[in-house]
Amino acid sequence: IRDSINAEYMGTHHSNGFYVLTCAAMFVKVIKNRAYFSRFQVKWRRRREGKTNYRKRRHLVTQDKNKYNTPKHRLVVRVSNTKVTCQIVAAKIRGDLVRAAATSAELQLHGALVGRTNYAACYATGLLLARRLLTKFGMAEKYIGLEKATGEDYLVEPKDDDRRPFKAFMDTGLARVTTGARVFAALKGALDGGLNIPHSETRFAGYNKEKGSLDTAKHRHRIFAQHVADYQRKLQREEPEKYEKTFSQYIENDVKPDDIETMWADCHASIRRAPMAKTLNETFIV
């Protein structure tokens, strides 16, 4: 009997120094059988594609029953490799309804020729969206927001009459919710533009967790892309070849480190002056 058992089993040597006996006719239980597949539930398409977090979406879309058919708006911010997209969206049965939208590609019309995806571009895109939405609903003159970006936290206050500020909730999608993330730069731009968005200053760039306070100087430093200017000066001084490759668009458009803050300040002013502009001629007052 022992000889027959030894004939059926074969020893397999592993790198950690022991043998595992395997049988030539070993029984393997089939887990994914016909009964398994008959009960298998396919996940929704956008979940399979890795595009939508439905657990987060359910909380953002669900409206209180005592508010009846009042739409619940979301500030949707998505950052890609080439641009930033901001939208104000309301969920409907037939699908999401976009109230207003803005992309960082439009910032070129307002004088921002370079830097389409950095922190400053996200802030400006959020500001453009807020001013465009309020202009569309006739609330731009009533809720001006914070006219000059100081880096301080700001939340619009309602006026005395019956028309309250436009309220939306932040939708970060699948982005990592970390302090100083670019999606929160778009949130800050929308806040300064006059929208009412529940938030906390703990996610803005410059927040110190140990001190429990926001360093407004550091936050303003990011809003005007001074971290980009500092890196530009460093490469100019230490690695000229890498500078020419990394900042080729800046060199092509003749944007120097000392010009970056002025460029973004002029961009903010142009956005407030003409938020509905779709062509270059519309950004200027004739």
Side-chain angles (χ1 to χ4, degrees), residues 270-283:
S270 176
I271 287 172
R272 289 186 174 275
R273 185 171 61 248
M276 306 300 288
K278 292 295 185 180
T279 61
L280 189 60
N281 294 332
E282 296 175 358
T283 60

Side-chain angles (χ1 to χ4, degrees), residues 174-185:
L174 300 177
R176 291 290 181 92
V177 184
T178 56
T179 299
R182 289 176 292 175
V183 291
F184 297 113

Side-chain angles (χ1 to χ4, degrees), residues 111 113-115 118 224-234 236 243 247-264:
L113 303 177
V114 289
N118 58 26
F224 287 96
Q226 290 305 289
H227 60 295
V228 178
D230 293 342
Y231 186 59
Q232 193 174 358
R233 294 188 188 97
K234 179 183 178 182
Q236 279 181 333
Y243 165 73
F247 290 94
S248 58
Q249 293 295 320
Y250 286 72
I251 296 172
E252 183 179 341
N253 291 279
D254 195 26
V255 179
K256 300 177 181 178
D258 296 334
D259 302 332
I260 292 179
E261 182 173 352
T262 304
M263 179 186 74
W264 287 112

